[in-house]
Amino acid sequence: MSSIQDITSPMSASEKRATLSLASVYALRMLGLFMILPVLPLFAQQLEGSTPALIGLAMGIYGLPQVLLQIPFGLLSDKFGRKKLILIGLTLFLIGSIIAALSSTIYGVLVGRAFQGAGAVSAVVMALVADLTQEVHRTKAMATIGASIGASFGIGIVAGPIISGFGGMQAVFAATAVLTVLAMLSVIFVVPNPQKSKLHRDAEFVPEQAMNALKNPDLLRLDYGIFVQHLILMAIFVVVPSLMRQAGLSAGNEWQVYLPVFATSMAVMIPFIILAEKKRKMKAVFLGAVAVLAISALALALFHDDLISIIGWLWLFFCGFNLLEATLPSLISKTAPADLKGTAMGAYSSCQFMGLFLGGVLGGWFNGHYGVTAVFLFCAVMAFSWFLVTLTMKSPRYLSNLLISLENLSEETRNAFVSQLLTIVGIVEVTVHNEEAVAYLKVDGHQLNKDQLQSLIDHYASA
């Protein structure tokens, strides 16, 4: 039975290896995807058959196979093995990167990007993390992977334009293929093999719980938010790289914009995160960040004729975007019942990828038919709709998740243990799944009486 000391104790060496190696797999894959964002709109114009609508589709098509395949990949990994499914997904991603690198037409790039999207391994990676870490360290492991994704985004949008200077868009896709091979080698030689794979409700999508997630209005509100946020991100990147080039930014110097914009907007985010989490002002901070997205999109619609204006409003956009990117997963974790977290995150990720897909498609369509102003106005309207939806958001419960193994306890003893758990100050909810021998807890970390919980665990562990 897990001890409360495990929560504050460091991970074991094998857990650290598993977490860092899987974070590297995730980061290498995402780095390749993010590198193409500021590059594809510029170089795709030179491809045979290229139109604004098809460029937008090429930007966003990656998201559609992700929506369709990420949950099936996760479910198949329960039967056929985690590492095998990850390698299959990375192979598809590698094939897509090679196809895109060798293509001279927009249609070839479309096929390549679709194959990249078919490598939908996110859910499988999370399931493998859960297999390789103790319950009490799982949140820490997930947070490490989340941080690696954020770092990949910042590095990717800076590195993409630099690499494209050595061989255009094809060089970026080729670099993505190399990164994918490195990720595959990490899976084969570095990521540990799990002793056994089992269901983890805090990390995996559970089909029979899907309706519970879809009927929860608080979770649906957050799902709509991540959909809109990534729709706007992709639509903006459909047009902003070309706009900056037209406004006088020299080819190959894009990193000189993206690096300071991203770095300083990340720095601005930190005090607001502290205000939201430590001072418990999450709703006010969240509403403000959504409003920033709407304002920056509207400003870009009105003021995109000179480079300074574009950079300034792009910086404001990233201030809001980075803050929301950090707080949305936290809100999902706070809002979802502990045993529904994996299913809630699965639905959340699907909405995120659908936003990326439709952002590319609609951004390209608006650009082709009505011009860049229409793209930004569309983004502003979507952000404003999210602001209205967020007005009805409840102040979140500042709760975290805690999992305790019940493996050594009989069913009768488990029932007695759980009934006493609910008497401890700071424990708000307890859900037990006997088939997994795990108790899923929602706790208020500021109020939790850890000494009392430790005493209770010790008592039943020695019974």
Side-chain angles (χ1 to χ4, degrees), residues 16-337:
K16 289 180 180 178
R17 176 185 170 193
T19 300
L20 294 176
S21 59
L22 286 170
S24 71
V25 170
Y26 217 118
L28 288 168
R29 171 174 162 270
M30 299 306 293
L31 179 59
L33 290 172
F34 293 139
M35 287 195 304
I36 203 64
L37 283 182
V39 171
L40 197 153
L42 295 172
F43 290 92
Q45 299 173 20
Q46 305 163 14
L47 295 174
E48 182 184 338
S50 177
T51 67
L54 287 175
I55 291 173
L57 179 59
M59 291 280 289
I61 197 171
Y62 166 86
L64 185 58
Q66 287 282 319
V67 174
L68 298 175
L69 296 176
Q70 66 155 334
I71 291 174
F73 261 66
L75 297 175
L76 287 171
S77 73
D78 292 335
K79 182 176 181 180
F80 297 105
R82 312 288 195 210
K83 293 179 75 170
K84 184 181 296 184
L85 265 293
I86 292 173
L87 288 171
I88 290 172
L90 290 175
T91 300
L92 291 171
F93 190 84
L94 175 62
I95 291 170
S97 301
I98 294 172
I99 290 173
L102 298 176
S103 296
S104 59
T105 71
I106 190 66
Y107 301 103
V109 172
L110 280 169
V111 172
R113 291 280 290 167
F115 263 94
Q116 284 186 320
V121 299
S122 302
V124 189
V125 170
M126 292 303 183
L128 184 53
V129 170
D131 285 339
L132 294 170
T133 55
Q134 298 178 66
E135 289 90 348
V136 292
H137 291 150
R138 200 163 296 150
T139 299
K140 192 187 303 181
M142 300 295 185
T144 301
I145 291 178
S148 75
I149 297 171
S152 295
F153 182 79
I155 295 170
I157 62 173
V158 172
I162 296 175
I163 294 173
S164 69
F166 295 97
M169 182 178 65
Q170 286 74 19
V172 178
F173 280 121
T176 300
V178 172
L179 292 172
T180 308
V181 171
L182 293 176
M184 295 172 75
L185 292 174
S186 180
V187 172
I188 296 170
F189 296 110
V190 183
V191 176
N193 293 308
Q195 293 182 351
K196 64 176 181 178
S197 294
K198 63 177 184 177
L199 177 66
H200 307 278
R201 293 176 187 269
D202 62 316
E204 295 182 65
F205 184 89
V206 182
E208 57 265 29
Q209 288 188 315
M211 287 308 299
N212 292 333
L214 294 175
K215 290 189 297 186
N216 187 316
D218 296 321
L219 290 176
L220 288 176
R221 191 180 293 108
L222 297 173
D223 290 341
Y224 181 70
I226 194 65
F227 166 78
V228 170
Q229 182 179 347
H230 283 261
L231 180 148
I232 293 172
L233 174 71
M234 189 60 78
I236 281 180
F237 265 105
V238 168
V239 295
V240 160
S242 298
L243 271 182
M244 291 197 296
R245 184 71 62 83
Q246 293 166 15
L249 184 64
S250 301
N253 291 332
E254 291 89 352
W255 67 272
Q256 297 178 7
V257 171
Y258 292 123
L259 179 58
V261 162
F262 191 80
T264 56
S265 63
M266 286 291 288
V268 167
M269 174 189 78
I270 294 172
F272 290 99
I273 290 290
I274 295 172
L275 183 63
E277 295 285 359
K278 301 296 184 182
K279 303 299 183 180
R280 302 202 166 187
K281 300 290 185 182
M282 178 66 79
K283 182 175 180 179
V285 170
F286 194 81
L287 271 169
V290 177
V292 163
L293 290 193
I295 291 169
S296 58
L298 181 60
L300 281 167
L302 299 173
F303 311 107
H304 57 257
D305 293 328
D306 66 276
L307 187 59
I308 298 301
S309 292
I310 296 170
I311 294 172
W313 295 117
L314 187 65
W315 175 83
L316 185 65
F317 168 80
F318 273 113
C319 287
F321 178 88
N322 290 333
L323 181 55
L324 290 165
E325 194 77 354
T327 53
L328 272 166
S330 173
L331 281 169
I332 289 283
S333 182
K334 288 177 171 64
T335 302

